[in-house]
Amino acid sequence: MKINRRQFLASLGALSTLGAPRLAAQMYSAYSLLRPPCLQGMRPDGVTIMWATLERGTGYIQYSEDGYGANFAEARSRIFLPQDTGLPYAYMQHEATLSELAPGMDYQYSVLAGGEPISDPGACSFRTAGRGPFNFVVFGDSGQGGAEQYALASRIASERASFVLHTGDLAYMHGTFEQYHSNYFRYYGGLMNSVPFFPTPGNHDYLTNNAAPYLALHSVPQDTVPFDDRGRYYSFDWGNAHFVSLDSNASLASAIEGTGPMLAWLEEDLRATRQFWRIVFFHHPPYAAGPNQSDEISSLVREAIVPILEKHGVQLVLNGHEHAYHRSRLIRNNTVVKPGEGTTYVTSGGGGAFLYPVFPHSLVEVSKPEHHYIRAEVRGTRLTLQTIGIDGTEVDSFTLAPPPVIANYGREPAVRFSPALEPGALVRIAGRGLATEERHASPGSALPTELAGTIVTLNGRPISLFYVSSHEIRGQVPFEVTGSVTLGVATPNGFVDTSLPGL
Ligand SMILES: [Fe+2]
Ligand SMILES: [Fe+2]
């Protein structure tokens, strides 16, 4: 809940009417952060911040663009008792949602208790999601303490990424509340106050009470997710990319049994997005050259999840579970295909836990049993992933730049004219990788022949465009077109054309 300074001060006054303002201030000055603030679910216009204290009381986030202004968000607070957590003490978890923020904007904030800041002065800041290039870090299977986890955590903190994706097995060995404190927040909590983490649950996170600690300690996007499954899977947008985190544990099992909605939700989620990049992450890899490939879950993933990803043109899948680094070839229907037509599967399970061996696999191009993380950068229609080892050297590097494809992935023809192929008609083109981002032509001005980096030609001449997105283009057939027709689409990644019956 967003409140202004007057309302905030009034709320402190309400405390004083309880009879002990001075005592209250002294009590609050003794507040301490059991868990530092962690950014959750960052979006263009908002973010959720979670923290924990040993003491009871109402918490607030004070935030502004310049560090001096005063907006306040009151937290919802929840007490965790020893019988809930297995910890020897009770604590309060606070969760404040900041809304009406500006996209791509820097903010500073403080955690308040009783009107006093209890977070490190000047240590807490964030930038909201926005348009344009961005970078993110990927790692998983991050270990149970030790030199490797610590070294990688230090390198990841120095990346200054827009956000971090964790591919699962966050807290070894059993995903307990104590292990989240000692093996997860202890290593990354200092980064989480300025860089949002987007997690996905691993099998070890499910070992305690059906992932109850994982669910309690996170606040992921949930708007479109069926109520009973909220927290287990979700999606979000950043720049011109759409990210989906799936639960390859209980939610996949119930979906395959016909009792859970995750796969139906995934179909609808991917069908609805208009983003160029479609990046999906979950714990169990369908294609990786390690000992877990014989897992029943990996085969269920190949049977139940992969066909949906292929149907909707997902270009990149990120997994964990295999404690090593693996990168597949471009795959579609279990075979190697050419650029623009397949999916790359990258397994990043070397975040600190003990390593697994790697084996030959016909669909896997690179396999290295090394501790690592991935530095990813999205620039329009190019996505570069650089894998960094524990000593800072490069383990692997590759770029995805899918060229445009004109194709019929639905029931309708790939190129459709309305009312028919004739001068001045409307043309709709279906395919993949057709435009850097969704864009409508500006109303009230002449229609452009280039929109979001995309140009469409008929017999070599650019046509006027109304609308472009990754999967659809709408334009107008020129009035001077006659004879046989060749339609072409050019993006920053390449050119494709198709011949059509003549006029
Ligand atoms: Fe693991
Ligand atoms: Fe695992």
Side-chain angles (χ1 to χ4, degrees), residues 141 169 172 203-204 283 321:
D141 302 272
D169 284 355
Y172 282 95
N203 51 308
H204 284 262
H283 188 57
H321 198 46

Side-chain angles (χ1 to χ4, degrees), residues 141 167-169 172 202-204 249 283-284 292 295 320-323 356:
D141 302 272
T167 58
D169 284 355
Y172 282 95
N203 51 308
H204 284 262
N249 301 279
H283 188 57
H284 297 80
N292 281 333
D295 270 12
H321 198 46
E322 294 284 5
H323 293 188
Y356 295 169

